Amino acid sequence: MTGISATPAVHGHGLATGEPVVRARSLVKRFGDITAVDGVDFTIRSGEAFGFLGRNGAGKTSTMRMIGCVSPPSDGRLTVLGMDPVREGASVRARLGVCPQEDNLDLELTARQNLTTYARYFRITRAEARRRADDLLRFVQLDDRAASKVEPLSGGMKRRLTIARALINDPEIVLLDEPTTGLDPQARHLVWERLFQLKQRGITLVLTTHYMEEAEQLCDRLVIMDGGRIVAQDAPRALIDAHCTKEVVELRFAAEDHESCADKLVGIGSHVEVLPDRLLLYTDDGDAIVPTVYERGLRPSGVLVRRSGLEDVFLHLTGRTLVEA
Amino acid sequence: MVAVMLGRVVAGDVVRPAHVGAVTARDLTLIRSAGSYFWLVLSGFAEPLLYLLAVGWGVGSLVGAIPLEDGRSISYQAFIAPALLATSAMNGALAEATINFFAKLRYLKHYDSVLNTPVTPAEVAFGELMWATIRGALYSGAFLLVMIMMGLVTPWAALAAFPAALLICLAFSAVGLAMSTFMRDWSDFEYSGVVQFALFVFSGTFVPLSVFPEPARILVELTPLYHGVELTRAMTLGPLDSTSLVNLLYLLVLMVAATAVAARRMRRRLRR
């Protein structure tokens, strides 16, 4: 046996866990002369949390909009829940939940009305809509704000309400475009908790993010996008193992020339990276090599040994230069 | 089934009544839940009412009775009242189909969220068409009530004029929606406001079209409110004849064409 279960676990929606729910082959999206998504291949399986990681303008949102059947692909093949997103878009969207990057809640309505009016777009009966709205408001801890207009709600509350709205049709896949961007740490953790609960219920989560912590915490698998292409895809830990050493030693120097310090470090660890404010020393055992730094006569003002993370991989693969979108 | 096929032909896309209803229902929720909004909607018919009072009494006292073709003569106020009814229908429809619709389309990103559901852009266009028509119907219904109370129209004639007002609402709602998809920013509405005012004062509203010079008359006969005014006037004062049929067809064709444009432009804009 190779670890593939003979009897796949079945969750509430009757989809076998691990069955492909989104399949993209050489998927392309062009806007005029600009190619936003430049031939990507990926497969998202039911029940997993799948992440698109990339800086602004990497093509994440365009990819999400194609999966959400609101933006027709320019080229390549895409199936969502086994259907064609252009011809059968409405049928696919009936089974998706979408939490967009910018909250586009209905500011003129109350929190509860936001959910009940949205339910009608899915032809959910009034009574059922009310029941679901109340359940979901409890789920996102907004039941005490049900009758409040949306405008005065905090950013975190608005985001939670948007997530609740995305769940009104009991979706099989939930698309979340940067679900925690702009939220304070408390609000962010509450959103993560709820997303984790959804995942445990067997709902497939597809999210974009540029928070490495979010990707590491939530995603079973992820792709790193850069310039419309996928530059790596795997489980977060596997990506770190494949593209980075186990640990990173960060060295800061008071007022010295970083380049010349870097020269003195040659041969220690697997490689050295020079940043404007510090040097990064990549190694599998940080504590073991720190003494060597001092032996070479260097006197760093600060030394930090840490485990390598997704951010190291991300920056390694997509570069450190700031690209203004 | 008829509605679905009609949608196919007009909008070039699937149009399911349940989805159209859901889009309209969202707007109705607003009126139901916010009493102030209801008064805001009704306040819109105040403008034609003020004209009816000010111009009707003021100018009316100078011009005296107006002779009709069939030999009857009516007060000046009764002459302009049907035209102001058509105007209030237009104003109500355009109020919703231009500025409010444009805000939802461009600034509130309202339709971005709606279109993540099975609802299609054409269904959004139809739903908003219905809502703008409802607002126009509220304006014109309220105005008709005032006309009845002032003795300017019999209740039966008012009942006959209401469908004509509805058709004006539908046609102008569709035109408003189509127009809004072309608007670049708010300042464009300044121009449309001027056009709307020009239609109001030149569509045979205050004086019979026959007083205008020939070229101006032809120009007015090409514009939509003129046909609306002719229709409401025929419904309330008579006579209903073949020109009424032309007025009716003009508004129907305009409604269908403008809806088709609006639905297609919505799809191009929102399904990129």
Side-chain angles (χ1 to χ4, degrees):
Chain A
M1 291 296 285
T2 52
I4 298 166
S5 167
T7 50
V10 173
H11 64 73
H13 287 291
L15 277 173
T17 305
E19 203 174 286
V21 286
V22 182
R23 203 195 281 268
R25 295 291 173 268
S26 318
L27 188 61
V28 174
K29 183 70 199 183
R30 288 186 211 97
F31 297 100
D33 295 337
I34 300 160
T35 304
V37 178
D38 194 6
V40 297
D41 295 84
F42 58 86
T43 303
I44 303 173
R45 299 182 180 282
S46 76
E48 75 175 340
F50 190 90
F52 288 92
L53 211 63
R55 53 183 158 194
N56 294 333
K60 306 185 301 279
T61 300
S62 297
T63 306
M64 288 289 260
R65 284 173 50 80
M66 286 192 279
I67 298 173
C69 308
V70 292
S71 172
S74 309
D75 207 348
R77 271 182 51 74
L78 177 67
T79 55
V80 184
L81 292 164
M83 290 183 272
D84 179 272
V86 176
R87 278 184 299 109
E88 297 159 294
S91 308
V92 178
R93 290 193 302 274
R95 294 161 65 186
L96 298 182
V98 180
C99 178
Q101 201 174 98
E102 287 172 64
D103 293 316
N104 51 13
L105 292 161
D106 204 323
L107 299 180
E108 294 173 289
L109 302 181
T110 66
R112 195 162 180 269
Q113 284 172 336
N114 258 280
L115 303 185
T116 50
T117 56
Y118 207 69
R120 294 201 61 177
Y121 302 135
F122 293 96
R123 305 171 94 152
I124 296 166
T125 63
R126 277 164 206 268
E128 177 66 10
R130 278 195 289 268
R131 195 188 62 74
R132 288 191 192 184
D134 290 337
D135 279 355
L136 287 169
L137 286 170
R138 262 193 302 279
F139 177 66
V140 296
Q141 291 181 17
L142 283 175
D143 37 338
D144 56 332
R145 302 302 293 268
S148 164
K149 280 260 164 69
V150 169
E151 187 83 80
L153 298 182
S154 72
M157 289 175 173
K158 282 182 184 150
R159 190 57 55 90
R160 267 142 55 205
L161 186 59
T162 308
I163 291 172
R165 190 183 66 180
L167 298 172
I168 197 80
N169 58 326
D170 198 12
E172 290 156 61
I173 306 175
V174 178
L175 307 177
L176 302 129
D177 201 354
E178 297 188 11
T180 63
T181 297
L183 301 189
D184 64 40
Q186 281 80 3
R188 173 173 303 159
H189 278 279
L190 184 54
V191 168
W192 283 346
E193 249 171 66
R194 290 299 173 265
L195 295 183
F196 187 70
Q197 284 178 340
L198 294 180
K199 193 177 140 187
Q200 283 186 314
R201 287 187 200 170
I203 295 173
T204 310
L205 300 181
V206 182
L207 57 117
T208 72
T209 185
H210 44 227
Y211 291 118
M212 304 303 140
E213 199 191 346
E214 184 161 285
E216 280 190 80
Q217 282 216 0
L218 285 175
C219 298
D220 299 312
R221 287 193 308 134
L222 53 89
V223 299
I224 295 179
M225 289 187 79
D226 193 35
R229 294 174 178 276
I230 289 176
V231 291
Q233 66 176 310
D234 213 328
R237 196 63 237 175
L239 281 173
I240 297 167
D241 293 343
H243 296 280
C244 201
T245 54
K246 282 198 179 64
E247 293 187 333
V248 180
V249 181
E250 298 196 2
L251 301 171
R252 288 171 191 276
F253 294 93
E256 280 178 73
D257 177 16
H258 282 170
E259 287 291 348
S260 65
C261 293
D263 292 341
K264 293 184 190 165
L265 290 169
V266 171
I268 312 178
S270 72
H271 69 281
V272 184
E273 189 175 359
V274 183
L275 300 185
D277 61 335
R278 62 199 195 277
L279 294 174
L280 299 184
L281 205 51
Y282 293 89
T283 172
D284 282 335
D285 188 351
D287 289 330
I289 64 158
V290 170
T292 328
V293 173
Y294 287 92
E295 281 163 21
R296 296 210 181 167
L298 290 168
R299 294 292 173 265
S301 61
V303 179
L304 172 71
V305 180
R306 60 167 174 83
R307 258 165 66 97
S308 59
L310 207 49
E311 186 148 353
D312 299 302
V313 179
F314 182 75
L315 292 174
H316 169 66
L317 290 173
T318 63
R320 287 190 187 271
T321 36
L322 180 67
V323 177
E324 296 289 355
Chain B
M1 207 49 224
V2 177
V4 175
M5 282 170 60
L6 198 72
R8 249 282 169 235
V9 176
V10 175
D13 201 353
V14 186
V15 176
R16 284 149 296 194
H19 290 168
V20 174
V23 172
T24 311
R26 178 264 165 198
D27 299 319
L28 286 172
T29 305
L30 265 187
I31 302 201
R32 278 210 316 264
S33 59
S36 59
Y37 196 80
F38 182 77
W39 290 112
L40 187 74
V41 166
L42 273 192
S43 73
F45 94 106
E47 194 178 299
L49 184 63
L50 292 176
Y51 278 101
L52 182 65
L53 298 176
V55 180
W57 272 328
V59 180
S61 67
L62 297 175
V63 298
I66 307 278
L68 292 181
E69 280 173 38
D70 60 5
R72 286 183 297 148
S73 74
I74 53 163
S75 70
Y76 181 67
Q77 223 171 10
F79 172 76
I80 64 169
L84 292 171
L85 168 67
T87 305
S88 63
M90 170 183 80
N91 287 350
L94 284 181
E96 202 56 53
T98 56
I99 293 179
N100 284 2
F101 173 71
F102 183 74
K104 283 193 270 187
L105 181 67
R106 290 285 287 274
Y107 293 98
L108 302 174
K109 307 273 176 207
H110 177 62
Y111 303 119
D112 291 351
S113 69
V114 177
L115 293 174
N116 282 327
T117 73
V119 175
T120 63
E123 288 161 347
V124 168
F126 273 63
E128 295 296 5
L129 178 73
M130 289 304 133
W131 163 234
T133 300
I134 289 171
R135 181 157 174 183
L138 285 172
Y139 277 34
S140 33
F143 193 80
L144 269 171
L145 281 179
V146 173
M147 280 172 69
I148 294 172
M149 286 189 292
M150 290 174 68
L152 297 170
V153 67
T154 64
W156 289 113
L159 216 56
F162 191 63
L166 271 187
L167 180 60
I168 297 167
C169 293
L170 280 165
F172 275 100
S173 299
V175 168
L177 296 177
M179 229 167 60
S180 297
T181 64
F182 288 96
M183 294 293 183
R184 291 157 302 180
D185 55 48
W186 292 113
S187 60
D188 284 348
F189 285 104
E190 303 286 335
Y191 303 113
S192 70
V194 172
V195 172
Q196 192 179 337
F197 189 76
L199 290 181
F200 165 46
V201 289
F202 285 109
S203 295
T205 326
F206 297 108
V207 286
L209 206 56
S210 52
V211 304
F212 292 146
E214 181 74 19
R217 209 157 61 213
I218 292 169
L219 189 68
V220 171
E221 279 172 355
L222 292 174
T223 61
L225 186 62
Y226 166 73
H227 293 273
V229 168
E230 286 293 289
L231 203 57
T232 50
R233 209 164 255 159
M235 287 296 189
T236 50
L237 305 172
L240 270 174
D241 52 26
S242 58
T243 45
S244 307
L245 195 65
V246 172
N247 303 145
L248 185 81
L249 283 175
Y250 179 103
L251 292 171
L252 275 174
V253 169
L254 180 65
M255 176 188 84
V256 171
T259 306
V261 171
R264 283 172 171 78
R265 300 257 322 159
M266 287 278 284
R267 187 167 59 238
R268 265 186 48 196
R269 169 161 199 101
L270 295 165
R271 288 274 189 254
R272 292 196 307 139

